Short mmCIF file of all heavy atoms in Angstrom, two decimals:
data_model
loop_
_atom_site.label_atom_id
_atom_site.label_comp_id
_atom_site.label_asym_id
_atom_site.label_seq_id
_atom_site.Cartn_x
_atom_site.Cartn_y
_atom_site.Cartn_z
N MET A 29 -12.22 -9.63 12.38
CA MET A 29 -12.75 -8.57 11.54
C MET A 29 -11.74 -8.09 10.53
O MET A 29 -12.09 -7.96 9.36
CB MET A 29 -13.27 -7.44 12.38
CG MET A 29 -13.74 -6.29 11.66
SD MET A 29 -15.54 -6.33 11.58
CE MET A 29 -15.82 -4.78 10.88
N ALA A 30 -10.54 -7.92 10.92
CA ALA A 30 -9.45 -7.35 10.02
C ALA A 30 -9.21 -8.33 8.87
O ALA A 30 -8.97 -7.89 7.75
CB ALA A 30 -8.20 -7.15 10.79
N GLU A 31 -9.39 -9.64 9.13
CA GLU A 31 -9.14 -10.60 8.11
C GLU A 31 -10.20 -10.57 7.02
O GLU A 31 -9.93 -10.97 5.85
CB GLU A 31 -8.99 -11.97 8.64
CG GLU A 31 -7.76 -12.17 9.48
CD GLU A 31 -7.63 -13.50 10.08
OE1 GLU A 31 -8.41 -14.47 9.71
OE2 GLU A 31 -6.75 -13.71 10.98
N SER A 32 -11.40 -10.10 7.28
CA SER A 32 -12.52 -10.15 6.37
C SER A 32 -12.78 -8.78 5.70
O SER A 32 -13.71 -8.65 4.95
CB SER A 32 -13.76 -10.63 7.05
OG SER A 32 -14.21 -9.65 8.07
N THR A 33 -11.94 -7.76 5.97
CA THR A 33 -12.08 -6.47 5.37
C THR A 33 -10.85 -6.05 4.67
O THR A 33 -9.76 -6.68 4.80
CB THR A 33 -12.48 -5.44 6.41
OG1 THR A 33 -11.45 -5.35 7.39
CG2 THR A 33 -13.78 -5.81 7.12
N THR A 34 -10.95 -4.92 3.91
CA THR A 34 -9.78 -4.38 3.21
C THR A 34 -9.74 -2.90 3.40
O THR A 34 -10.69 -2.26 3.97
CB THR A 34 -9.90 -4.66 1.69
OG1 THR A 34 -11.07 -4.13 1.18
CG2 THR A 34 -9.86 -6.20 1.40
N GLY A 35 -8.72 -2.29 2.94
CA GLY A 35 -8.56 -0.80 3.00
C GLY A 35 -8.62 -0.21 4.39
O GLY A 35 -8.11 -0.79 5.36
N THR A 36 -9.26 0.92 4.48
CA THR A 36 -9.30 1.68 5.74
C THR A 36 -10.10 0.88 6.80
O THR A 36 -9.74 0.96 7.99
CB THR A 36 -9.86 3.04 5.49
OG1 THR A 36 -8.99 3.73 4.56
CG2 THR A 36 -9.85 3.83 6.82
N ASP A 37 -11.08 0.13 6.36
CA ASP A 37 -11.80 -0.67 7.33
C ASP A 37 -10.91 -1.72 8.03
O ASP A 37 -10.99 -1.96 9.18
CB ASP A 37 -13.00 -1.41 6.68
CG ASP A 37 -14.12 -0.48 6.27
OD1 ASP A 37 -14.21 0.68 6.77
OD2 ASP A 37 -14.96 -0.87 5.44
N ARG A 38 -10.04 -2.30 7.17
CA ARG A 38 -9.06 -3.27 7.77
C ARG A 38 -8.13 -2.56 8.71
O ARG A 38 -7.87 -3.03 9.83
CB ARG A 38 -8.28 -3.96 6.67
CG ARG A 38 -7.17 -4.87 7.19
CD ARG A 38 -6.38 -5.50 6.01
NE ARG A 38 -5.18 -6.17 6.50
CZ ARG A 38 -5.14 -7.35 7.12
NH1 ARG A 38 -6.20 -7.98 7.37
NH2 ARG A 38 -3.93 -7.81 7.51
N SER A 39 -7.64 -1.38 8.34
CA SER A 39 -6.72 -0.63 9.22
C SER A 39 -7.43 -0.30 10.56
O SER A 39 -6.82 -0.34 11.61
CB SER A 39 -6.27 0.65 8.54
OG SER A 39 -5.38 0.28 7.47
N ALA A 40 -8.69 0.12 10.52
CA ALA A 40 -9.45 0.46 11.71
C ALA A 40 -9.51 -0.73 12.61
O ALA A 40 -9.31 -0.65 13.86
CB ALA A 40 -10.81 1.04 11.39
N ALA A 41 -9.89 -1.90 12.01
CA ALA A 41 -9.94 -3.14 12.82
C ALA A 41 -8.65 -3.55 13.39
O ALA A 41 -8.51 -3.98 14.54
CB ALA A 41 -10.54 -4.28 11.95
N LEU A 42 -7.54 -3.40 12.57
CA LEU A 42 -6.21 -3.73 13.04
C LEU A 42 -5.76 -2.77 14.20
O LEU A 42 -5.03 -3.27 15.10
CB LEU A 42 -5.16 -3.59 11.91
CG LEU A 42 -5.07 -4.77 10.98
CD1 LEU A 42 -4.09 -4.44 9.82
CD2 LEU A 42 -4.66 -6.07 11.69
N SER A 43 -6.21 -1.53 14.16
CA SER A 43 -5.76 -0.66 15.26
C SER A 43 -6.43 -1.10 16.56
O SER A 43 -5.76 -1.01 17.60
CB SER A 43 -6.11 0.80 14.95
OG SER A 43 -7.49 1.00 14.91
N VAL A 44 -7.60 -1.58 16.55
CA VAL A 44 -8.24 -2.10 17.76
C VAL A 44 -7.60 -3.39 18.20
O VAL A 44 -7.28 -3.54 19.43
CB VAL A 44 -9.77 -2.30 17.47
CG1 VAL A 44 -10.39 -3.00 18.66
CG2 VAL A 44 -10.50 -1.04 17.21
N TYR A 45 -7.34 -4.29 17.25
CA TYR A 45 -6.65 -5.53 17.54
C TYR A 45 -5.29 -5.25 18.15
O TYR A 45 -4.93 -5.83 19.19
CB TYR A 45 -6.48 -6.39 16.28
CG TYR A 45 -5.43 -7.48 16.53
CD1 TYR A 45 -5.74 -8.60 17.19
CD2 TYR A 45 -4.16 -7.29 15.99
CE1 TYR A 45 -4.76 -9.61 17.40
CE2 TYR A 45 -3.17 -8.24 16.23
CZ TYR A 45 -3.50 -9.40 16.89
OH TYR A 45 -2.52 -10.32 17.14
N ALA A 46 -4.50 -4.39 17.51
CA ALA A 46 -3.19 -4.07 18.05
C ALA A 46 -3.13 -3.46 19.42
O ALA A 46 -2.30 -3.83 20.24
CB ALA A 46 -2.41 -3.10 17.04
N THR A 47 -4.11 -2.61 19.70
CA THR A 47 -4.24 -2.03 20.99
C THR A 47 -4.48 -3.08 22.07
O THR A 47 -3.90 -3.14 23.13
CB THR A 47 -5.32 -0.96 21.03
OG1 THR A 47 -4.97 0.08 20.09
CG2 THR A 47 -5.43 -0.31 22.44
N ALA A 48 -5.45 -4.01 21.76
CA ALA A 48 -5.78 -5.09 22.60
C ALA A 48 -4.54 -6.03 22.84
O ALA A 48 -4.25 -6.41 23.94
CB ALA A 48 -6.96 -5.87 22.14
N ALA A 49 -3.84 -6.40 21.75
CA ALA A 49 -2.68 -7.30 21.86
C ALA A 49 -1.61 -6.63 22.67
O ALA A 49 -0.92 -7.27 23.47
CB ALA A 49 -2.19 -7.53 20.43
N HIS A 50 -1.44 -5.28 22.53
CA HIS A 50 -0.42 -4.57 23.31
C HIS A 50 -0.79 -4.71 24.83
O HIS A 50 0.10 -5.03 25.64
CB HIS A 50 -0.47 -3.10 22.88
CG HIS A 50 0.53 -2.25 23.60
ND1 HIS A 50 0.38 -0.90 23.80
CD2 HIS A 50 1.80 -2.54 24.24
CE1 HIS A 50 1.42 -0.43 24.47
NE2 HIS A 50 2.25 -1.36 24.71
N GLU A 51 -2.05 -4.42 25.17
CA GLU A 51 -2.35 -4.50 26.59
C GLU A 51 -2.31 -5.94 27.12
O GLU A 51 -1.88 -6.15 28.23
CB GLU A 51 -3.84 -3.99 26.78
CG GLU A 51 -3.99 -2.53 26.48
CD GLU A 51 -3.21 -1.62 27.42
OE1 GLU A 51 -3.05 -2.02 28.62
OE2 GLU A 51 -2.75 -0.57 26.92
N MET A 52 -2.72 -6.95 26.30
CA MET A 52 -2.49 -8.31 26.73
C MET A 52 -1.05 -8.68 26.93
O MET A 52 -0.71 -9.35 27.91
CB MET A 52 -3.16 -9.31 25.75
CG MET A 52 -4.72 -9.23 25.74
SD MET A 52 -5.52 -10.51 24.81
CE MET A 52 -4.83 -10.24 23.19
N GLY A 53 -0.22 -8.19 26.02
CA GLY A 53 1.22 -8.48 26.11
C GLY A 53 1.81 -7.87 27.42
O GLY A 53 2.55 -8.52 28.11
N LEU A 54 1.41 -6.67 27.70
CA LEU A 54 1.91 -6.00 28.97
C LEU A 54 1.49 -6.79 30.21
O LEU A 54 2.22 -6.98 31.13
CB LEU A 54 1.44 -4.56 28.97
CG LEU A 54 2.04 -3.63 27.98
CD1 LEU A 54 1.37 -2.23 28.09
CD2 LEU A 54 3.54 -3.58 28.09
N GLY A 55 0.19 -7.25 30.18
CA GLY A 55 -0.33 -8.01 31.31
C GLY A 55 0.43 -9.32 31.47
O GLY A 55 0.78 -9.71 32.54
N LEU A 56 0.73 -9.99 30.38
CA LEU A 56 1.46 -11.28 30.45
C LEU A 56 2.90 -11.03 30.94
O LEU A 56 3.41 -11.84 31.78
CB LEU A 56 1.49 -11.97 29.07
CG LEU A 56 0.17 -12.54 28.60
CD1 LEU A 56 0.14 -12.81 27.16
CD2 LEU A 56 -0.15 -13.77 29.48
N LEU A 57 3.52 -9.94 30.50
CA LEU A 57 4.87 -9.62 30.99
C LEU A 57 4.85 -9.41 32.50
O LEU A 57 5.72 -9.84 33.17
CB LEU A 57 5.46 -8.46 30.22
CG LEU A 57 5.77 -8.61 28.79
CD1 LEU A 57 6.22 -7.28 28.17
CD2 LEU A 57 6.83 -9.71 28.53
N ALA A 58 3.79 -8.70 32.92
CA ALA A 58 3.69 -8.38 34.37
C ALA A 58 3.49 -9.61 35.19
O ALA A 58 3.93 -9.75 36.35
CB ALA A 58 2.50 -7.45 34.63
N GLU A 59 2.94 -10.72 34.54
CA GLU A 59 2.77 -11.98 35.24
C GLU A 59 4.01 -12.85 35.12
O GLU A 59 4.04 -14.01 35.62
CB GLU A 59 1.58 -12.77 34.63
CG GLU A 59 0.25 -12.12 34.88
CD GLU A 59 -0.89 -12.76 34.10
OE1 GLU A 59 -0.68 -13.84 33.50
OE2 GLU A 59 -2.03 -12.25 34.16
N GLY A 60 5.02 -12.36 34.46
CA GLY A 60 6.29 -13.15 34.29
C GLY A 60 6.19 -14.05 33.08
O GLY A 60 7.09 -14.91 32.89
N LYS A 61 5.23 -13.99 32.21
CA LYS A 61 5.11 -14.84 31.09
C LYS A 61 5.73 -14.12 29.88
O LYS A 61 5.09 -13.59 29.00
CB LYS A 61 3.63 -15.17 30.81
CG LYS A 61 2.96 -15.97 31.94
CD LYS A 61 1.53 -16.15 31.77
CE LYS A 61 0.95 -16.91 32.96
NZ LYS A 61 -0.48 -16.94 33.00
N ILE A 62 7.06 -14.15 29.88
CA ILE A 62 7.83 -13.32 28.95
C ILE A 62 7.63 -13.74 27.50
O ILE A 62 7.39 -12.87 26.62
CB ILE A 62 9.30 -13.38 29.32
CG1 ILE A 62 9.57 -13.05 30.78
CG2 ILE A 62 10.16 -12.52 28.38
CD1 ILE A 62 9.07 -11.62 31.21
N ALA A 63 7.75 -15.02 27.22
CA ALA A 63 7.63 -15.47 25.82
C ALA A 63 6.24 -15.16 25.23
O ALA A 63 6.13 -14.62 24.13
CB ALA A 63 7.89 -16.92 25.66
N LYS A 64 5.19 -15.45 25.92
CA LYS A 64 3.84 -15.17 25.45
C LYS A 64 3.59 -13.70 25.41
O LYS A 64 2.92 -13.17 24.46
CB LYS A 64 2.82 -15.85 26.43
CG LYS A 64 1.51 -15.99 25.83
CD LYS A 64 1.46 -16.92 24.65
CE LYS A 64 0.04 -17.16 24.18
NZ LYS A 64 0.00 -17.90 22.93
N GLY A 65 4.05 -12.94 26.36
CA GLY A 65 3.93 -11.50 26.34
C GLY A 65 4.68 -10.87 25.12
O GLY A 65 4.08 -10.02 24.41
N ALA A 66 5.84 -11.37 24.81
CA ALA A 66 6.62 -10.85 23.64
C ALA A 66 5.84 -11.21 22.38
O ALA A 66 5.93 -10.43 21.42
CB ALA A 66 8.03 -11.41 23.65
N GLU A 67 5.30 -12.35 22.33
CA GLU A 67 4.52 -12.80 21.13
C GLU A 67 3.33 -11.84 20.85
O GLU A 67 3.19 -11.40 19.71
CB GLU A 67 3.92 -14.19 21.40
CG GLU A 67 3.20 -14.74 20.23
CD GLU A 67 2.69 -16.14 20.56
OE1 GLU A 67 3.46 -17.00 21.06
OE2 GLU A 67 1.49 -16.39 20.25
N HIS A 68 2.65 -11.42 21.92
CA HIS A 68 1.51 -10.46 21.75
C HIS A 68 2.07 -9.09 21.30
O HIS A 68 1.47 -8.41 20.52
CB HIS A 68 0.71 -10.37 23.06
CG HIS A 68 -0.24 -11.44 23.24
ND1 HIS A 68 -1.49 -11.54 22.64
CD2 HIS A 68 -0.10 -12.61 23.92
CE1 HIS A 68 -2.07 -12.63 23.03
NE2 HIS A 68 -1.28 -13.33 23.79
N LEU A 69 3.13 -8.72 21.91
CA LEU A 69 3.71 -7.43 21.59
C LEU A 69 4.20 -7.36 20.12
O LEU A 69 4.00 -6.39 19.41
CB LEU A 69 4.91 -7.03 22.49
CG LEU A 69 4.57 -6.76 23.92
CD1 LEU A 69 5.83 -6.43 24.70
CD2 LEU A 69 3.53 -5.66 24.07
N THR A 70 4.76 -8.50 19.64
CA THR A 70 5.22 -8.56 18.25
C THR A 70 4.02 -8.50 17.29
O THR A 70 4.09 -7.82 16.26
CB THR A 70 6.07 -9.89 18.03
OG1 THR A 70 7.21 -9.82 18.92
CG2 THR A 70 6.48 -9.99 16.60
N SER A 71 2.97 -9.16 17.66
CA SER A 71 1.71 -9.12 16.85
C SER A 71 1.18 -7.70 16.74
O SER A 71 0.79 -7.21 15.74
CB SER A 71 0.68 -10.07 17.35
OG SER A 71 1.14 -11.39 17.23
N ALA A 72 1.18 -7.03 17.94
CA ALA A 72 0.70 -5.67 17.98
C ALA A 72 1.56 -4.74 17.15
O ALA A 72 1.06 -3.93 16.40
CB ALA A 72 0.70 -5.17 19.41
N GLN A 73 2.94 -4.94 17.22
CA GLN A 73 3.81 -4.13 16.49
C GLN A 73 3.60 -4.25 14.96
O GLN A 73 3.52 -3.25 14.22
CB GLN A 73 5.23 -4.50 16.81
CG GLN A 73 6.29 -3.72 16.06
CD GLN A 73 7.71 -4.25 16.37
OE1 GLN A 73 7.90 -5.43 16.59
NE2 GLN A 73 8.66 -3.32 16.40
N LYS A 74 3.39 -5.47 14.51
CA LYS A 74 3.15 -5.72 13.07
C LYS A 74 1.83 -5.04 12.62
O LYS A 74 1.76 -4.47 11.53
CB LYS A 74 3.11 -7.17 12.75
CG LYS A 74 4.52 -7.88 12.88
CD LYS A 74 4.41 -9.33 12.69
CE LYS A 74 5.82 -9.97 12.84
NZ LYS A 74 5.74 -11.43 12.70
N ALA A 75 0.83 -5.18 13.41
CA ALA A 75 -0.45 -4.56 13.14
C ALA A 75 -0.36 -3.04 13.05
O ALA A 75 -0.86 -2.44 12.13
CB ALA A 75 -1.57 -5.05 14.09
N PHE A 76 0.28 -2.45 14.06
CA PHE A 76 0.44 -1.00 14.08
C PHE A 76 1.25 -0.56 12.83
O PHE A 76 0.96 0.47 12.24
CB PHE A 76 1.14 -0.51 15.30
CG PHE A 76 0.24 -0.37 16.54
CD1 PHE A 76 0.61 -0.93 17.78
CD2 PHE A 76 -1.01 0.16 16.46
CE1 PHE A 76 -0.17 -0.81 18.84
CE2 PHE A 76 -1.86 0.27 17.57
CZ PHE A 76 -1.40 -0.22 18.77
N ASP A 77 2.31 -1.34 12.51
CA ASP A 77 3.11 -1.00 11.30
C ASP A 77 2.21 -0.87 10.08
O ASP A 77 2.33 0.07 9.30
CB ASP A 77 4.16 -2.08 11.03
CG ASP A 77 5.37 -1.96 11.94
OD1 ASP A 77 5.59 -0.84 12.58
OD2 ASP A 77 6.13 -2.94 12.08
N GLU A 78 1.32 -1.83 9.87
CA GLU A 78 0.48 -1.92 8.72
C GLU A 78 -0.54 -0.69 8.77
O GLU A 78 -0.68 -0.02 7.73
CB GLU A 78 -0.36 -3.21 8.62
CG GLU A 78 -1.21 -3.28 7.41
CD GLU A 78 -1.97 -4.60 7.23
OE1 GLU A 78 -1.46 -5.65 7.77
OE2 GLU A 78 -3.02 -4.58 6.63
N VAL A 79 -1.08 -0.44 9.87
CA VAL A 79 -2.03 0.68 9.96
C VAL A 79 -1.35 1.97 9.67
O VAL A 79 -1.84 2.76 8.78
CB VAL A 79 -2.65 0.72 11.36
CG1 VAL A 79 -3.48 2.01 11.53
CG2 VAL A 79 -3.51 -0.45 11.67
N LEU A 80 -0.16 2.21 10.25
CA LEU A 80 0.50 3.50 10.05
C LEU A 80 1.00 3.64 8.61
O LEU A 80 1.11 4.77 8.12
CB LEU A 80 1.61 3.67 11.09
CG LEU A 80 1.14 3.78 12.51
CD1 LEU A 80 2.27 3.61 13.48
CD2 LEU A 80 0.43 5.07 12.70
N ARG A 81 1.41 2.52 8.00
CA ARG A 81 1.89 2.59 6.63
C ARG A 81 0.77 2.84 5.64
O ARG A 81 0.85 3.63 4.73
CB ARG A 81 2.60 1.22 6.31
CG ARG A 81 3.12 1.16 4.88
CD ARG A 81 3.84 -0.17 4.60
NE ARG A 81 3.06 -1.38 4.81
CZ ARG A 81 3.18 -2.14 5.86
NH1 ARG A 81 4.10 -1.98 6.75
NH2 ARG A 81 2.37 -3.23 5.94
N ASN A 82 -0.43 2.20 5.82
CA ASN A 82 -1.47 2.30 4.87
C ASN A 82 -2.53 3.36 5.19
O ASN A 82 -3.14 3.89 4.22
CB ASN A 82 -2.27 0.90 4.82
CG ASN A 82 -1.36 -0.20 4.27
OD1 ASN A 82 -0.47 0.04 3.49
ND2 ASN A 82 -1.63 -1.43 4.68
N ASP A 83 -2.71 3.76 6.40
CA ASP A 83 -3.71 4.71 6.74
C ASP A 83 -3.25 5.64 7.94
O ASP A 83 -3.83 5.64 9.01
CB ASP A 83 -5.01 4.07 7.16
CG ASP A 83 -5.75 3.45 5.97
OD1 ASP A 83 -6.25 4.25 5.17
OD2 ASP A 83 -5.73 2.20 5.82
N PRO A 84 -2.19 6.42 7.67
CA PRO A 84 -1.67 7.25 8.77
C PRO A 84 -2.68 8.27 9.25
O PRO A 84 -2.53 8.73 10.39
CB PRO A 84 -0.42 7.93 8.09
CG PRO A 84 -0.68 7.86 6.68
CD PRO A 84 -1.48 6.61 6.46
N GLN A 85 -3.74 8.60 8.51
CA GLN A 85 -4.74 9.56 8.93
C GLN A 85 -5.53 8.95 10.15
O GLN A 85 -6.22 9.70 10.86
CB GLN A 85 -5.66 9.91 7.79
CG GLN A 85 -6.68 8.86 7.43
CD GLN A 85 -6.19 7.78 6.45
OE1 GLN A 85 -5.00 7.73 6.20
NE2 GLN A 85 -7.10 6.93 5.96
N LEU A 86 -5.46 7.68 10.39
CA LEU A 86 -6.10 7.11 11.56
C LEU A 86 -5.39 7.32 12.88
O LEU A 86 -5.88 6.94 13.93
CB LEU A 86 -6.30 5.55 11.34
CG LEU A 86 -7.20 5.11 10.20
CD1 LEU A 86 -7.30 3.58 10.15
CD2 LEU A 86 -8.63 5.68 10.46
N ASP A 87 -4.24 8.06 12.81
CA ASP A 87 -3.47 8.37 13.99
C ASP A 87 -3.26 9.86 14.09
O ASP A 87 -2.12 10.34 14.16
CB ASP A 87 -2.12 7.61 13.91
CG ASP A 87 -1.36 7.68 15.25
OD1 ASP A 87 -1.98 7.83 16.30
OD2 ASP A 87 -0.16 7.55 15.13
N PRO A 88 -4.31 10.69 14.13
CA PRO A 88 -4.16 12.15 14.08
C PRO A 88 -3.45 12.67 15.37
O PRO A 88 -2.80 13.76 15.23
CB PRO A 88 -5.65 12.63 13.97
CG PRO A 88 -6.43 11.57 14.65
CD PRO A 88 -5.76 10.27 14.27
N LEU A 89 -3.57 11.98 16.46
CA LEU A 89 -2.92 12.51 17.68
C LEU A 89 -1.63 11.78 18.02
O LEU A 89 -0.93 12.17 19.03
CB LEU A 89 -3.89 12.41 18.86
CG LEU A 89 -5.19 13.15 18.74
CD1 LEU A 89 -6.12 12.87 19.94
CD2 LEU A 89 -4.94 14.67 18.56
N GLY A 90 -1.27 10.82 17.21
CA GLY A 90 0.00 10.10 17.44
C GLY A 90 -0.04 9.01 18.46
O GLY A 90 1.04 8.47 18.84
N SER A 91 -1.19 8.65 18.95
CA SER A 91 -1.30 7.63 20.01
C SER A 91 -0.83 6.22 19.50
O SER A 91 -0.25 5.43 20.21
CB SER A 91 -2.64 7.50 20.61
OG SER A 91 -3.71 7.17 19.64
N LEU A 92 -1.18 5.91 18.24
CA LEU A 92 -0.75 4.60 17.66
C LEU A 92 0.73 4.61 17.50
O LEU A 92 1.41 3.60 17.84
CB LEU A 92 -1.45 4.34 16.36
CG LEU A 92 -2.98 4.25 16.36
CD1 LEU A 92 -3.51 3.95 14.98
CD2 LEU A 92 -3.46 3.32 17.36
N THR A 93 1.31 5.75 17.00
CA THR A 93 2.77 5.82 16.88
C THR A 93 3.44 5.69 18.23
O THR A 93 4.45 5.03 18.30
CB THR A 93 3.10 7.17 16.26
OG1 THR A 93 2.50 7.21 14.97
CG2 THR A 93 4.59 7.37 16.07
N GLY A 94 2.81 6.33 19.29
CA GLY A 94 3.40 6.22 20.61
C GLY A 94 3.35 4.74 21.14
O GLY A 94 4.33 4.31 21.77
N ARG A 95 2.24 4.06 20.93
CA ARG A 95 2.20 2.70 21.34
C ARG A 95 3.18 1.82 20.60
O ARG A 95 3.92 0.98 21.22
CB ARG A 95 0.84 2.14 21.10
CG ARG A 95 -0.19 2.49 22.17
CD ARG A 95 -1.49 1.70 21.91
NE ARG A 95 -2.49 2.04 22.87
CZ ARG A 95 -2.67 1.28 24.04
NH1 ARG A 95 -1.94 0.27 24.27
NH2 ARG A 95 -3.61 1.65 24.88
N LYS A 96 3.42 2.06 19.33
CA LYS A 96 4.32 1.32 18.54
C LYS A 96 5.73 1.56 19.07
O LYS A 96 6.53 0.61 19.21
CB LYS A 96 4.25 1.73 17.07
CG LYS A 96 5.21 0.93 16.17
CD LYS A 96 4.94 1.33 14.69
CE LYS A 96 6.02 0.80 13.85
NZ LYS A 96 7.15 1.75 13.63
N ALA A 97 6.10 2.77 19.40
CA ALA A 97 7.40 3.10 19.96
C ALA A 97 7.57 2.41 21.26
O ALA A 97 8.67 1.90 21.62
CB ALA A 97 7.59 4.60 20.07
N SER A 98 6.55 2.43 22.10
CA SER A 98 6.63 1.73 23.43
C SER A 98 6.86 0.25 23.27
O SER A 98 7.65 -0.35 23.99
CB SER A 98 5.34 2.03 24.17
OG SER A 98 5.25 1.27 25.37
N ILE A 99 6.15 -0.35 22.32
CA ILE A 99 6.35 -1.79 22.04
C ILE A 99 7.74 -2.07 21.59
O ILE A 99 8.39 -3.00 22.08
CB ILE A 99 5.35 -2.26 20.98
CG1 ILE A 99 3.89 -2.20 21.62
CG2 ILE A 99 5.64 -3.67 20.47
CD1 ILE A 99 2.82 -2.36 20.55
N GLU A 100 8.28 -1.29 20.66
CA GLU A 100 9.65 -1.48 20.16
C GLU A 100 10.67 -1.40 21.29
O GLU A 100 11.59 -2.21 21.33
CB GLU A 100 9.89 -0.48 19.00
CG GLU A 100 9.15 -0.78 17.76
CD GLU A 100 9.17 0.34 16.73
OE1 GLU A 100 9.71 1.40 16.99
OE2 GLU A 100 8.71 0.06 15.61
N ALA A 101 10.49 -0.41 22.18
CA ALA A 101 11.42 -0.28 23.30
C ALA A 101 11.29 -1.47 24.21
O ALA A 101 12.34 -2.02 24.64
CB ALA A 101 11.09 0.98 24.02
N ARG A 102 10.13 -1.94 24.49
CA ARG A 102 9.93 -3.08 25.36
C ARG A 102 10.56 -4.36 24.80
O ARG A 102 11.23 -5.05 25.47
CB ARG A 102 8.44 -3.21 25.69
CG ARG A 102 8.11 -4.38 26.67
CD ARG A 102 8.67 -4.18 28.03
NE ARG A 102 8.17 -3.06 28.73
CZ ARG A 102 7.26 -3.06 29.67
NH1 ARG A 102 6.76 -4.21 30.09
NH2 ARG A 102 6.79 -1.97 30.23
N LEU A 103 10.28 -4.55 23.50
CA LEU A 103 10.87 -5.77 22.87
C LEU A 103 12.37 -5.71 22.85
O LEU A 103 13.05 -6.75 23.02
CB LEU A 103 10.28 -5.87 21.45
CG LEU A 103 8.82 -6.35 21.31
CD1 LEU A 103 8.37 -6.24 19.92
CD2 LEU A 103 8.65 -7.74 21.86
N LYS A 104 12.94 -4.49 22.62
CA LYS A 104 14.39 -4.35 22.59
C LYS A 104 14.97 -4.70 23.97
O LYS A 104 15.93 -5.37 24.11
CB LYS A 104 14.79 -2.94 22.22
CG LYS A 104 16.25 -2.69 22.06
CD LYS A 104 16.58 -1.29 21.64
CE LYS A 104 18.03 -1.09 21.53
NZ LYS A 104 18.41 0.24 21.17
N ASN A 105 14.25 -4.28 25.05
CA ASN A 105 14.74 -4.57 26.41
C ASN A 105 14.62 -6.06 26.73
O ASN A 105 15.35 -6.54 27.55
CB ASN A 105 14.02 -3.73 27.40
CG ASN A 105 14.45 -2.28 27.42
OD1 ASN A 105 15.52 -1.95 26.97
ND2 ASN A 105 13.53 -1.37 27.81
N LEU A 106 13.70 -6.73 26.14
CA LEU A 106 13.50 -8.18 26.35
C LEU A 106 14.61 -8.99 25.69
O LEU A 106 14.86 -10.10 26.08
CB LEU A 106 12.11 -8.66 25.90
CG LEU A 106 10.93 -8.13 26.66
CD1 LEU A 106 9.61 -8.61 26.02
CD2 LEU A 106 11.01 -8.57 28.11
N GLY A 107 15.20 -8.31 24.69
CA GLY A 107 16.32 -8.96 24.00
C GLY A 107 16.04 -10.00 23.07
O GLY A 107 16.66 -10.85 22.69
#
């Protein structure tokens, strides 16, 4: 969906994608699939970056910012 839309619609779709990628990444890490989990986390991080840069109003409570910070910390720990 994000690929076929622009503007705030794209950002809204990306926020859903990024949340799902974050959860999938965490699940893969829990299964010991480090490389694949890190790949999902990196994709989520990039999507959250775009959303927060282009449409910060979509994060009124800071939950996307919190997820992004969590991802950054996790990726840093993975080295």
Side-chain angles (χ1 to χ4, degrees):
M29 174 99 174
E31 292 179 11
S32 65
T33 61
T34 60
T36 301
D37 289 344
R38 175 178 168 78
S39 292
L42 280 174
S43 69
V44 173
Y45 163 78
T47 300
H50 181 207
E51 293 298 327
M52 287 189 303
L54 293 176
L56 289 164
L57 291 176
E59 293 173 6
K61 298 175 182 173
I62 306 305
K64 195 67 172 170
E67 182 181 313
H68 282 277
L69 292 181
T70 299
S71 293
Q73 179 184 33
K74 289 177 183 177
F76 281 135
D77 283 342
E78 183 177 333
V79 171
L80 293 168
R81 181 177 57 253
N82 294 333
D83 287 290
Q85 75 277 8
L86 294 179
D87 190 27
L89 301 177
S91 61
L92 301 181
T93 301
R95 278 187 179 268
K96 183 176 169 267
S98 173
I99 290 167
E100 290 169 351
R102 183 62 65 104
L103 287 172
K104 184 177 179 183
N105 286 335
L106 293 175

